[in-house]
Amino acid sequence: MSKVLVVTFNGGGNVPPALGIAVELSRRGHDVRVLGHAEQRSTFQPAGLRFEAYRRAAAHTPLDRMSLARWAADYVGVFLDAGAGVDLVESLDREEADLVVVDAMLLGALHALQTRRGRVRHVVLHHTLHGFMTRGFAPWVRLLSGQRRLSPTALWARAARALVPGIPALEPRVVRAPNTRLTGPVWPAGVSPVPHSGTGRALVSLSSIFYRGQVETLREIMTAVADLPVEVVLTTGRAVNPAELDVPRNVEAHGFLPHREVLPNVSMVVGHGGFSTTLQALAHDLPMVILPAFTLGDQKAVGAAVARSGAGLTVRRSAPAPVIRDAIARMLDDGSHRAAAARLGAGCPELGGAPAAAVRAGAVHGSAARAGLVGPGGGRRGLARPRVRCRRRRAGGEGVPGQAAATRARR
């Protein structure tokens, strides 16, 4: 048994892959503890994981409504926070770990870990498109780091492995970083996507955290669907109360509803471009209309990837109701977008997901025998290569030609 420390922060789409990998490693018999913001205790402890709250890291409250300038400064502060690095080093001083899994955006924590005396094997965990992280996130965060000159790509390259819980078909270019591996989506506990069976029903689900303009966008969407011959399930997340909206009669509104309960029974999804929700929708073969919540974030890149594949449309979040209505009506209809969504859905389980990520995280360990990863006969204990069984697809879901073979060649 090895000791694993997972380092995360109180965000939105960054949490499901961290939770999924932590649970999978724990299931395989490893002693896993999580370091994060105090508000995350209620997410990780019920999953049977030990949790340790930050002591010196800056507070981060993603549900608070604030100006764009303050919102941006808050997130940049999280990414570069030296306090999180101090907490990480002190946590390791109190209790060593054989392996540390660090959120790729926690650059202050990564820097502290890599400059700590007594280096520890560590893995970087991305939670969106690798192409966006290297060409969108990295340049401006490096610039904002000022005299510290923290280079995200350099920090990621020093890790033993960088894991990306996505699929090749959505990446804008081939992932060539030597230590980087696509693992396939890492689903939340209890999620096992299958092709949808719903017809004439749509899910509207924007971000679970605060983005400026989100209430106004939801109001336009409600106006757009009010006169469509379709039943709509609306989930507003933690940052918006359904009572703030004028909800039409054909809309069933929820503050929170697990997507696994809805996605099998709808025929399309309206989203904001969040990577986790997008992958879950595509894994159910669902076409999408994406209204990116923040154009400088990954949502625009995710929406472009879905549109480029033919599985959806992107619409400006400030678009008027008639434009949104037309896009939703097009995705509700039959057409090539459904076959495109099915092809992407077929690629979701091919790389293994959480089991594959756990294998790749554990396989970089420097002393497998000491960590208990090697059994008496020399075979790897609890970290064997996962057997991936691809689900049988309906017609039109034959997969993405060449993607699986190309991925196998990169392993």
Side-chain angles (χ1 to χ4, degrees):
M1 177 181 72
S2 63
K3 289 192 171 187
V4 181
L5 174 61
V6 177
V7 187
T8 183
F9 71 94
N10 186 24
N14 68 307
V15 176
L19 177 61
I21 290 175
V23 168
E24 180 64 23
L25 286 167
S26 177
R27 187 187 69 80
R28 290 165 180 259
H30 305 298
D31 181 9
V32 181
R33 73 184 194 273
V34 178
L35 177 65
H37 288 103
E39 296 84 354
Q40 296 181 277
R41 188 182 301 275
S42 60
T43 297
F44 289 94
Q45 275 193 344
L49 302 167
R50 290 194 290 141
F51 184 83
E52 181 180 344
Y54 288 132
R55 303 177 184 183
R56 300 175 185 270
H60 177 59
T61 51
L63 302 184
D64 287 356
R65 299 186 181 187
M66 58 187 77
S67 68
L68 178 59
R70 185 183 164 199
W71 181 90
D74 181 58
Y75 271 90
V76 171
V78 171
F79 303 153
L80 302 177
D81 188 13
V86 174
D87 283 330
L88 171 53
V89 169
E90 291 183 349
S91 177
L92 290 172
D93 289 343
R94 288 190 297 270
E95 181 182 353
E96 279 287 358
D98 301 301
L99 179 69
V100 181
V101 181
V102 187
D103 190 297
M105 290 185 172
L106 292 178
L107 305 177
L110 262 177
H111 175 70
L113 179 63
Q114 293 178 358
T115 55
R116 173 183 182 259
R117 180 178 299 177
R119 295 283 294 274
V120 181
R121 285 276 184 169
H122 60 283
V123 168
V124 166
L125 178 60
H126 293 276
H127 37 84
T128 189
L129 295 168
H130 185 261
F132 168 78
M133 290 295 286
T134 55
R135 293 174 178 256
F137 175 85
W140 65 262
V141 172
R142 180 179 183 179
L143 180 66
L144 292 172
S145 69
Q147 293 182 348
R148 295 171 70 188
R149 296 186 179 181
L150 294 182
S151 168
T153 53
L155 291 169
W156 301 332
R158 294 187 194 111
R161 186 77 79 227
L163 305 178
V164 182
I167 57 175
L170 287 180
E171 289 290 342
R173 58 192 58 83
V174 175
V175 177
R176 299 188 184 280
N179 69 335
T180 302
R181 298 293 182 272
L182 290 163
T183 67
V186 176
W187 306 122
V191 174
S192 183
V194 295
H196 72 92
S197 58
T199 57
R201 201 162 182 248
L203 169 66
V204 174
S205 180
L206 303 190
S207 180
S208 62
I209 63 177
F210 169 76
Y211 282 101
R212 285 188 62 80
Q214 185 159 245
V215 172
E216 291 77 10
T217 299
L218 283 169
R219 287 172 178 161
E220 288 297 319
I221 294 173
M222 292 299 94
T223 301
V225 301
D227 56 359
L228 283 175
V230 61
E231 296 179 5
V232 176
V233 178
L234 166 68
T235 64
T236 60
R238 300 174 293 166
V240 177
N241 189 323
E244 297 180 71
L245 309 174
D246 184 9
V247 178
R249 297 178 63 179
N250 61 329
V251 175
E252 173 189 318
H254 303 266
F256 172 78
L257 189 66
H259 285 163
R260 65 176 178 269
E261 297 181 9
V262 184
L263 291 173
N265 304 308
V266 299
S267 58
M268 64 86 59
V269 174
V270 179
H272 73 295
F275 195 58
S276 179
T277 298
T278 298
L279 284 175
Q280 286 193 61
L282 294 173
H284 288 83
D285 298 355
L286 292 167
M288 304 188 72
V289 172
I290 294 178
L291 298 90
F294 182 52
T295 55
L296 295 181
D298 67 324
Q299 296 97 343
K300 186 176 181 180
V302 171
V306 172
R308 187 171 59 245
S309 74
L313 298 171
T314 58
V315 177
R316 289 181 297 106
R317 69 173 186 175
S318 59
V323 174
I324 299 172
R325 181 187 301 115
D326 178 67
I328 293 174
R330 288 173 61 186
M331 292 298 100
L332 282 167
D333 283 345
D334 292 332
S336 60
H337 53 281
R338 295 201 171 274
R343 286 194 296 272
L344 292 176
C348 285
E350 289 183 348
L351 302 182
V359 169
R360 283 162 173 72
V364 302
H365 194 281
S367 178
R370 179 171 59 82
L373 303 182
V374 175
R380 299 192 71 77
R381 177 186 296 153
L383 289 169
R385 184 180 182 86
R387 294 180 62 189
V388 181
R389 181 174 298 174
C390 294
R391 54 194 166 106
R392 184 169 298 179
R393 311 294 299 184
R394 297 192 301 267
E398 68 276 9
V400 183
Q403 292 288 359
T407 302
R408 286 192 292 271
R410 293 257 324 125
R411 289 175 182 165

